[in-house]
């Protein structure tokens, strides 16, 4: 079974991103137009202060903002290493979900695991 990154990379409407360290993928508050899938490298998402998330190879991020009510980015995304990634616009992402409905379960499962990790990390600050 192909991974989420592979499915996005194989979609006919994907955009390929090859960016150097320090590149801005999107800023907080800007319209959310695409989902992102990282093949190689690391991206840091920040909403200010110590509130940071890192995504690396094999991970997909920001489908929440893309399908959310506001459809605006809740964080800023910056490449913290050189990255090779793919993006897919909202309509193409919805098409991909219709073609591969189990993709939603994969994305939700990974999001749940990430939230669990964050709770475990936060417990160390109390």
């Amino acid at each position: 079974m192909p991974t989420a990154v592979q499915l996005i990379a194989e979609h006919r409407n994907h955009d390929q991103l090859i960016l150097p360290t320090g590149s801005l993928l999107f800023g907080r508050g800007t319209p959310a137009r695409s989902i992102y899938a990282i093949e190689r490298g690391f991206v840091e998402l920040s909403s200010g202060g110590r509130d940071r998330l890192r995504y690396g190879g094999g991970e997909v991020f920001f489908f929440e903002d893309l399908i959310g009510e506001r459809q605006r980015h809740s964080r800023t995304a910056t490449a913290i290493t050189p990255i090779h990634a793919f993006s897919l616009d909202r309509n193409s992402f919805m098409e991909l979900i219709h073609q591969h409905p189990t993709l939603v379960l994969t994305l939700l499962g990974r999001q749940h695991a990430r939230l669990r990790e964050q709770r475990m990390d936060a417990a160390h600050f109390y």
Side-chain angles (χ1 to χ4, degrees), residues 18-117:
I18 299 173
L19 301 171
T21 301
S23 296
L24 185 70
L25 275 78
F26 53 80
R28 183 178 181 191
T30 59
R33 293 193 169 97
S34 300
I35 185 172
Y36 296 86
I38 303 173
E39 187 173 56
R40 286 187 309 273
F42 289 93
V43 172
E44 183 172 85
L45 294 112
S46 170
S47 60
R50 293 174 46 184
D51 183 21
R52 295 184 179 138
L53 298 171
R54 288 193 177 166
Y55 288 85
E59 293 189 284
V60 175
F61 63 96
F62 270 86
F63 56 91
E64 306 93 348
D65 288 350
L66 187 64
I67 60 174
E69 219 173 272
R70 287 188 52 219
Q71 292 185 4
R72 295 205 171 267
H73 288 295
S74 58
R75 298 172 184 266
T76 295
T78 307
I80 58 173
T81 67
I83 64 163
H84 183 233
F86 304 98
S87 66
L88 196 61
D89 66 57
R90 185 180 198 281
N91 289 339
S92 297
F93 178 56
M94 298 305 280
E95 178 184 301
L96 188 63
I97 289 172
H98 288 288
Q99 292 171 351
H100 302 277
T102 58
L103 175 61
V104 173
L105 297 175
T106 301
L107 295 175
L108 288 174
R110 180 61 195 135
Q111 184 180 35
H112 178 70
R114 183 172 279 278
L115 288 171
R116 191 171 49 242
E117 290 168 12

